[in-house]
């Protein structure tokens, strides 16, 4: 069973990523780390209210602690969606004020809301009044040419008036015109110093930093300046890093894993996830939608290319998840036996 949610879990967070951080990835991540805080994909408040809640919000009991990220700007709808999320067992509700895509701009949520801090304040206040779990904000440094440090500080100051105590800042601005969401993850320059200054200006707030952070070493460096670190695609495409996070990031939390990202540990995780996959296969879920999260588990390990190829090529040809993973593991473990 997962442990109770605690502020300490915010030291390291896996970012919400569309089409990546679904319930199956989160289950795999939890096999690797007990303490790291996980996020859902972003869900619009309208989808949560009107959509298939079992599909959108369902999660395994072993996943916690998990944050539900919502997108929207209508106070009543966001409050209703937050309440639904809390009912479904999410430990925190986060408001997306950072996504730069045209779709969210047209829907009046995401990064464009940085131009409306008073609206964000009102939405957050409404959500907080509807739930008994923390309501938090994830934002950018700014948008377009309105990206000064002073603008960021003013935004946080106004939103914090809602009672919000937790902010995660992607240390890039968002260009809402001319750049794709992918380009917005890499082209605007990183300005970590803005986030550091923000923490100094608001010592009473919990400030986490996000953007371009791809290792636990870098995370530990940032933790000298801020309260938490959010890691994005590195945690998905190099998930083995999470196997060391409990020991390196959360040494003060009792009961954490003591292992490192060695071959034995990762193999055990792969087999545990294979048994989980089989449960879903038996319910009619496609193998590829489950096995895709396993593909990057082994990186820079002899035989990893064959591991990836085996999973990719054979996922659609079998209904035995354990056998699929056992066969793929032969490519990494047999090489290790030969070189031992």
């Amino acid at each position: 069973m997962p442990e109770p949610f605690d502020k300490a879990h915010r030291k390291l967070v896996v970012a919400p990523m569309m089409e990546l951080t679904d319930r199956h990835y989160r289950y795999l991540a939890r096999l690797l780390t007990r303490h790291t805080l996980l996020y859902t994909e972003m869900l619009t408040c309208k989808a949560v209210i009107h959509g298939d809640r079992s599909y959108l919000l369902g999660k395994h009991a072993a996943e916690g602690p998990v944050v539900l990220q919502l997108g929207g700007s209508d106070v009543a709808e966001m409050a209703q969606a937050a309440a639904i999320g809390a009912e479904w067992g999410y430990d925190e509700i986060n408001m997306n004020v950072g996504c730069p895509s045209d779709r969210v701009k047209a829907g009046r949520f995401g990064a464009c809301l940085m131009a409306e801090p008073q609206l964000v304040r009102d939405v957050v206040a409404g959500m907080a009044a509807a739930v008994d779990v923390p309501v938090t904000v994830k934002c950018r440094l700014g948008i377009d040419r309105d990206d000064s440090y002073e603008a960021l500080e003013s935004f946080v100051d106004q939103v914090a008036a809602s009672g919000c105590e937790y902010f995660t800042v992607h240390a890039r601005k968002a260009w809402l015109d001319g750049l794709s969401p992918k380009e917005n993850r890499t082209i605007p320059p990183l300005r970590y110093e803005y986030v550091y200054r923000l923490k100094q200006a608001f010592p009473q707030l919990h400030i986490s930093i996000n953007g371009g952070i791809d290792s636990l070493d870098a995370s530990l460096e940032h933790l000298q300046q801020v309260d938490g670190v959010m890691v994005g695609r590195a945690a998905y495409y190099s998930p083995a890093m999470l196997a060391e996070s409990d020991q390196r990031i959360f040494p003060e939390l009792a009961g954490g894993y003591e292992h490192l990202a060695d071959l034995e540990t990762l193999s055990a995780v792969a087999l545990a996830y294979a048994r989980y996959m089989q449960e879903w296969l038996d319910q009619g879920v496609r193998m590829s939608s489950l096995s895709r999260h396993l593909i990057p588990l082994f990186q820079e390990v002899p035989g990893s290319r064959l591991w990836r190829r085996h999973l990719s090529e054979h996922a659609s040809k079998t209904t035995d998840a354990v056998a699929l993973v056992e066969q793929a593991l032969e490519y990494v473990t047999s090489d290790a036996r030969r070189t031992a």
Side-chain angles (χ1 to χ4, degrees):
M1 292 298 293
E3 61 190 343
F5 180 58
D6 184 87
K7 180 184 288 189
H9 294 101
R10 302 176 192 278
K11 286 176 64 177
L12 185 68
V13 183
V14 176
M17 292 175 279
M18 296 298 293
E19 300 183 356
L20 297 181
T21 52
D22 64 13
R23 64 184 302 172
H24 306 306
Y25 168 77
R26 297 194 306 267
Y27 187 90
L28 174 63
R30 191 57 74 211
L31 291 172
L32 293 162
T33 171
R34 180 175 180 178
H35 303 308
T36 302
L37 186 58
L38 306 175
Y39 266 65
T40 67
E41 303 171 82
M42 183 192 70
L43 299 175
T44 67
C45 60
K46 292 182 184 297
V48 169
I49 294 169
H50 303 293
D52 182 344
R53 294 177 188 173
S54 179
Y55 174 77
L56 294 170
L57 298 173
K59 66 185 182 73
H60 197 284
E63 282 183 43
V66 182
V67 180
L68 170 63
Q69 188 183 62
L70 295 175
S73 59
D74 182 275
V75 176
E77 289 181 340
M78 287 289 278
Q80 183 180 357
I84 293 168
E87 290 172 1
W88 278 77
Y90 287 92
D91 301 272
E92 177 180 309
I93 312 297
N94 179 264
M95 181 178 180
N96 182 314
V97 193
C99 184
S101 78
D102 292 339
R103 182 173 65 86
V104 300
K105 182 180 178 182
R108 202 184 175 207
F109 62 95
C112 64
L113 290 177
M114 294 205 70
E116 301 183 73
Q118 293 182 352
L119 174 58
V120 175
R121 176 201 63 197
D122 293 344
V123 171
V124 171
M127 295 165 70
V131 300
D132 293 324
V133 298
V135 174
T136 63
V137 170
K138 184 175 186 290
C139 64
R140 289 270 182 152
L141 296 183
I143 52 175
D144 300 328
R145 289 177 174 78
D146 190 14
D147 65 339
S148 67
Y149 169 76
E150 289 74 20
L152 173 64
E153 183 175 314
S154 176
F155 173 84
V156 170
D157 187 46
Q158 293 180 70
V159 175
S162 68
C164 181
E165 301 177 6
Y166 302 96
F167 291 82
T168 299
V169 184
H170 186 150
R172 289 185 172 94
K173 69 176 178 181
W175 277 109
L176 299 182
D177 294 311
L179 292 184
S180 68
K182 181 178 180 180
E183 291 169 332
N184 263 301
R185 293 197 298 267
T186 56
I187 292 178
L190 286 162
R191 293 175 174 170
Y192 294 137
E193 68 276 9
Y194 279 21
V195 189
Y196 298 164
R197 288 177 64 185
L198 197 65
K199 177 57 188 176
Q200 294 169 2
F202 299 99
Q204 77 280 15
L205 298 180
H206 189 285
I207 304 296
S208 294
I209 195 167
N210 172 229
I213 304 169
D214 60 3
S215 70
L216 296 182
D217 287 340
S219 299
L220 288 166
E221 290 182 13
H222 286 297
L223 286 170
Q224 301 300 311
Q225 304 289 336
V226 293
D227 302 302
V229 174
M230 177 178 278
V231 179
R233 278 159 174 74
Y236 187 87
Y237 293 109
S238 299
M241 69 182 291
L242 296 177
E244 299 189 356
S245 64
D246 285 355
Q247 184 183 70
R248 298 189 62 193
I249 306 295
F250 305 98
E252 75 282 8
L253 294 180
Y257 296 131
E258 299 300 326
H259 59 63
L260 298 178
D262 55 30
L263 186 59
E264 181 180 359
T265 295
L266 298 182
S267 297
V269 166
L271 288 170
Y273 184 74
R275 293 189 288 273
Y276 166 85
M277 286 199 299
Q278 190 63 53
E279 295 176 7
W280 284 97
L281 283 171
D282 293 343
Q283 298 177 49
V285 176
R286 288 184 299 111
M287 177 80 84
S288 59
S289 67
L290 300 161
S291 61
R292 67 189 181 100
H293 300 304
L294 265 185
I295 288 174
L297 184 61
F298 295 94
Q299 298 289 355
E300 300 180 5
V301 174
S304 60
R305 181 179 62 83
L306 294 174
W307 154 271
R308 294 191 295 270
R309 189 170 76 180
H310 186 87
L311 290 179
S312 298
E313 292 181 353
H314 294 275
S316 62
K317 303 175 184 178
T318 180
T319 57
D320 189 333
V322 174
L324 173 71
V325 172
E326 286 179 337
Q327 293 161 7
L329 280 172
E330 279 294 311
Y331 292 110
V332 289
T333 59
S334 62
D335 194 276
R337 290 194 297 268
R338 286 195 299 270
T339 57

